Amino acid sequence: MNEDTPKPDSTETPTEQSEREPTDIFQWANQTDAAKNELNVEFFLFNKGFTPYFTTVSDELDAQLKPLFLLDMMSQVELGAGTGLTVRDYELSEKEDNVLLRTELEKVKNADSLIHLIEHERHDMVEFSEQEHEIKRIKGIIAKFSHKNDPKKSFYIVKQVSASNVLPGTVSWEFKNGKFESFTSDFGWKVPTDSQVLIVDGDIFIFNQSKFERLFNYEFKKQLLADQKVAEIEKLYKLSFPDGLDLQTVVRERKKAVNKLQKLEVGAVTQEQAVQYADDMQLELMTDDEGAIIIMDGNDLDMFVNLINEDYITSEITGKRYEIKLKRALDEAEGEPPRG
């Protein structure tokens, strides 16, 4: 939503509030192209915990900023306008040639939180320091572009900061004046030239899907399948949670469980079998007076999912217990009758 657009009245129904028109990316490109010489740029880094830091760029880099962050992205959209580029919802589509994926900022919790902090909590933000924050913990860089004459009109371009693009100063040399010399900086960073993520007026445009998902830990399609598995689990198993928690909430905060649920065959192990299995493996699985399996946190969830996925074994040779990380079914032994 543009800053100039009046905010929805609190009396509007949720349906009315959800009817916000998506950003016209082609109009954005045209308007930005016309005003590209009137844009100011600020930079922010954010870490793997999605804490943002402000940082500065020297004046001598001014000539590189727009080509590295903005102009190629803008050109892709302008070229796409003439070649039939289609914008589709990320949650409903797969990446295809000549398709630009889009989603709403509010759906991507980590991105929404970062933009909120930059816009409204700047006074609490600290400056990035390699000694205190370490570049190896940094996940991405955000370039905020604002119109000089109207600072409220802004958009954000986000790029991934990966270890492969970082040059540690302590173990690097630089070639200068015909010879190698010590690298005098804390670190160097090779700016990726590809277009990755654009955030404008409440929308996120995804130029690189894999980098978008890694930048914000947003794997909607995985989560959608996990949600379906959760619904199946809730029908087949009796579970008990502390007040304020439910299976959906615990799963959403547990990436390991989301990944495990992708291939889980729900129902292959019954509730009674899971409880007995836990007892056989000497696991601290708790049940309440009604026989419901108690899940207090993510660790309990991991144990439960491992049980119904048969991920614990006892070695017949050593008697040691193991958690299986990867299972591959073996063919039936020659001459052995099929099981089941």
Side-chain angles (χ1 to χ4, degrees):
M1 182 178 295
N2 288 323
E3 293 286 342
D4 296 334
T5 304
K7 293 185 178 180
D9 187 84
S10 58
T11 60
E12 289 181 343
T13 65
T15 301
E16 290 170 333
Q17 290 184 26
S18 65
E19 291 178 352
R20 179 185 67 84
E21 284 293 322
T23 302
D24 185 333
I25 188 65
F26 304 105
Q27 184 181 54
W28 169 84
N30 289 335
Q31 292 176 344
T32 303
D33 192 15
K36 60 179 179 287
N37 295 325
E38 302 299 321
L39 296 175
N40 290 324
V41 192
E42 299 173 89
F43 284 93
F44 305 87
L45 299 170
F46 64 92
N47 65 15
K48 296 174 183 178
F50 298 97
T51 299
Y53 308 97
F54 71 84
T55 189
T56 54
V57 176
S58 69
D59 293 341
E60 65 189 49
L61 291 179
D62 278 353
Q64 298 182 28
L65 300 183
K66 290 171 186 174
L68 284 173
F69 283 84
L70 175 62
L71 299 187
D72 280 351
M73 178 179 283
M74 201 166 56
S75 296
Q76 280 181 249
V77 177
E78 291 176 328
L79 179 62
T83 59
L85 178 67
T86 303
V87 179
R88 294 181 186 164
D89 288 343
Y90 165 82
E91 290 80 6
L92 303 177
S93 310
E94 296 293 338
K95 179 60 179 172
E96 303 172 38
D97 291 341
N98 220 25
V99 169
L100 180 62
L101 300 179
R102 181 203 69 89
T103 190
E104 294 176 12
L105 176 61
E106 64 182 13
K107 291 181 179 178
V108 187
K109 182 179 67 173
N110 291 324
D112 193 25
S113 174
L114 281 169
I115 300 305
H116 174 82
L117 291 172
I118 291 172
E119 291 292 345
H120 303 291
E121 307 290 339
R122 183 82 64 92
H123 55 280
D124 291 330
M125 201 180 299
V126 299
E127 185 172 13
F128 174 78
S129 163
E130 168 62 7
Q131 289 70 36
E132 294 183 27
H133 308 123
E134 299 182 273
I135 190 63
K136 67 181 180 181
R137 299 183 184 276
I138 294 300
K139 191 168 193 177
I141 185 168
I142 301 174
K144 178 183 179 182
F145 289 83
S146 305
H147 291 260
K148 293 179 181 178
N149 298 327
D150 189 357
K152 290 184 177 180
K153 294 180 66 176
S154 59
F155 58 88
Y156 302 83
I157 292 175
V158 191
K159 287 180 182 281
Q160 186 179 34
V161 174
S162 60
S164 61
N165 286 345
V166 175
L167 194 66
T170 55
V171 295
S172 303
W173 293 353
E174 64 180 6
F175 192 74
K176 187 175 180 182
N177 298 325
K179 62 180 179 180
F180 283 108
E181 299 179 357
S182 296
F183 194 75
T184 56
S185 302
D186 293 335
F187 62 88
W189 180 52
K190 181 182 178 183
V191 184
T193 57
D194 61 323
S195 299
Q196 297 182 16
V197 177
L198 167 69
I199 302 175
V200 55
D201 289 346
D203 288 299
I204 300 179
F205 291 92
I206 303 161
F207 291 79
N208 187 311
Q209 183 175 339
S210 62
K211 290 184 179 179
F212 159 72
E213 292 170 349
R214 290 199 295 272
L215 274 166
F216 300 115
N217 294 350
Y218 189 68
E219 297 177 308
F220 177 84
K221 295 174 179 64
K222 269 190 179 182
Q223 187 61 60
L224 185 63
L225 181 56
D227 290 349
Q228 294 170 355
K229 298 285 187 177
V230 164
E232 294 176 30
I233 289 171
E234 289 175 331
K235 289 180 180 178
L236 293 175
Y237 299 92
K238 290 175 61 178
L239 305 175
S240 176
F241 297 87
D243 290 342
L245 276 186
D246 56 27
L247 183 58
Q248 191 72 270
T249 301
V250 182
V251 168
R252 284 183 178 272
E253 295 177 354
R254 199 75 172 177
K255 186 174 182 180
K256 178 181 177 181
V258 171
N259 290 334
K260 181 66 71 71
L261 288 174
Q262 303 302 303
K263 297 182 179 180
L264 177 67
E265 182 183 348
V266 178
V269 174
T270 67
Q271 175 125 358
E272 293 73 20
Q273 288 172 328
V275 173
Q276 183 60 51
Y277 185 16
D279 187 53
D280 293 342
M281 298 302 301
Q282 302 174 42
L283 300 172
E284 296 180 0
L285 184 73
M286 298 180 292
T287 57
D288 65 15
D289 293 340
E290 297 180 357
I293 295 172
I294 299 172
I295 296 179
M296 300 294 294
D297 54 26
N299 291 325
D300 288 342
L301 173 68
D302 290 342
M303 184 194 304
F304 168 69
V305 172
N306 285 343
L307 286 168
I308 63 175
N309 198 46
E310 299 181 88
D311 283 343
Y312 297 112
I313 63 168
T314 300
S315 170
E316 294 182 3
I317 299 175
T318 64
K320 291 183 178 180
R321 297 172 300 150
Y322 296 95
E323 176 186 339
I324 303 169
K325 297 296 185 181
L326 179 66
K327 292 196 299 188
R328 182 170 65 88
L330 299 177
D331 294 333
E332 298 289 350
E334 187 175 346
E336 181 179 330
R339 297 180 182 179

